[in-house]
Amino acid sequence: MSVPGVPLTAAGPEETAGLETLAAPPRGRRRVVSRPLRELTANRGAAVSLAFLVLLTLAAVFAPLIAPYDPDVQNLRATLEGPSGTHLLGTDAFGRDLFSRLLVASRVTLVAVVEALLVAIVLGVPAGLLCGVVPWLDKIIARIADALLAVPPIVLALAVVGVLGPGLTNAMIALGIVMAPSLFRLARSSAASASRELYIEACRSVGCSGWRLVWRHVLPNAGSPLLVQTTFFAGVVILAEASLSFLGLGVQTPDSSWGSMLRDAFDVIFEAPGFLVAPAVMIALTILAFAGFGDGLRDALEGRGSDGR
């Protein structure tokens, strides 16, 4: 409010920072942060899924110590043996211990999830948040995202792998590029919804820059749906990595993944059909665990609790 006879002056940096702080929504107390955690642990499905993922991560990290045999050592005198006390899951066509290979393959799977999600987040989330706040930039990047979404995902992934060459990292870069447009659209929608809030308009009025507005005020409000969507995408990455490795475009020998183990078991399906069970079960359980954890995380962040209210 202006006073007659007193000229208006621009707000200095200290005053601008003070106004921005007042414009920002108040920070919640610790109990507000702990409430979703309590609801997440109270959800039995989410708690079991989280426990399985933690055990899988520990098994993957300590796989060289837990594995009873070297997963790459061949024993041609003990090929296609069934489960026994010596080999818990049997041996493959080259006499390699399947349990040891399954443990080491879990490391490859988790690395694949991290690589693919990291590429998708880096490419999609910052661009989506910025486009939700800056309209003129949205007109450019949104058209690129729509063009990528128009291409079938498997075709785009195969095209990227064909250009970069086979290999786990290249395959995960391809998957990250495929998933980036979906994260971009979700981030843009969340940012556009948050940018219409009054405190965002107040920050703009005091000259808050676009990047500062995005990272300090928009991202905390858009982070929950992005986090939930990322957990569901982890299951998609596991299935896609197994498919690419099954086709020979992912992990290359002598490394192993659950998809490559399925391929090896498929080659001897008539001699040892049971070899398909272990990698297939691990793929299914891990995908279900990520889905269950993501579902429980969504309910906890939305405040519905374990009883679905």
Side-chain angles (χ1 to χ4, degrees):
M1 182 175 179
S2 61
V3 180
V6 179
L8 294 175
T9 58
E14 297 180 355
E15 296 176 356
T16 302
L19 290 174
E20 183 181 337
T21 303
L22 292 175
R27 297 181 179 180
R29 297 181 180 177
R30 291 183 178 179
R31 65 171 180 268
V32 177
V33 178
S34 62
R35 179 187 55 79
L37 182 60
R38 290 198 306 269
E39 293 184 357
L40 179 64
T41 54
N43 188 322
R44 293 184 179 179
V48 172
S49 299
L50 181 59
F52 176 83
L53 294 176
V54 171
L55 290 177
L56 179 63
T57 303
L58 293 176
V61 172
F62 298 103
L65 301 177
I66 301 175
Y69 299 94
D70 189 328
D72 298 327
V73 172
Q74 302 179 9
N75 184 6
L76 299 181
R77 297 180 180 179
T79 60
L80 299 180
E81 289 188 354
S84 63
T86 305
H87 301 283
L88 296 178
L89 297 178
T91 59
D92 62 6
F94 298 98
R96 297 174 296 190
D97 184 65
L98 288 178
F99 179 70
S100 301
R101 291 182 66 80
L102 192 72
L103 283 176
V104 175
S106 63
R107 306 181 74 181
V108 176
T109 300
L110 294 181
V111 168
V113 170
V114 172
E115 289 181 346
L117 292 181
L118 186 62
V119 172
I121 291 172
V122 170
L123 293 180
V125 174
L129 293 176
L130 198 58
C131 288
V133 179
V134 184
W136 66 268
L137 188 62
D138 179 51
K139 297 179 181 179
I140 301 175
I141 301 181
R143 302 292 80 79
I144 300 176
D146 292 340
L148 292 176
L149 287 172
V151 181
I154 189 64
V155 174
L156 183 58
L158 291 176
V160 175
V161 172
V163 173
L164 299 178
L168 178 64
T169 301
N170 294 340
M172 293 307 101
I173 291 175
L175 288 177
I177 295 175
V178 169
M179 293 186 300
S182 299
L183 285 180
F184 166 80
R185 299 188 71 174
L186 179 61
R188 184 186 64 170
S189 175
S190 301
S193 177
S195 63
R196 290 191 291 266
E197 298 292 337
L198 293 179
Y199 68 90
I200 296 295
E201 296 296 333
C203 291
R204 283 174 174 162
S205 66
V206 297
C208 185
S209 62
W211 281 110
R212 183 179 178 84
L213 192 66
V214 166
W215 295 117
R216 184 170 180 179
H217 304 294
V218 176
L219 181 59
N221 293 278
S224 297
L226 289 173
L227 183 61
V228 173
Q229 188 65 31
T230 301
T231 59
F232 286 110
F233 273 161
V236 176
V237 171
I238 293 173
L239 185 59
E241 185 278 327
S243 302
L244 291 175
S245 296
F246 185 87
L247 295 174
L249 300 175
V251 173
Q252 302 298 303
T253 55
D255 296 332
S256 64
S257 71
W258 294 337
S260 63
M261 291 183 65
L262 283 177
R263 179 62 190 180
D264 295 339
F266 182 78
D267 292 336
V268 294
I269 189 172
F270 295 106
E271 292 83 359
F275 289 173
L276 288 168
V277 175
V281 168
M282 289 303 300
I283 291 173
L285 288 179
T286 307
I287 292 175
L288 289 175
F290 273 112
F293 176 68
D295 189 55
L297 183 63
R298 179 192 60 199
D299 292 344
L301 292 176
E302 290 179 355
R304 293 191 291 183
S306 59
D307 56 356
R309 290 180 297 177

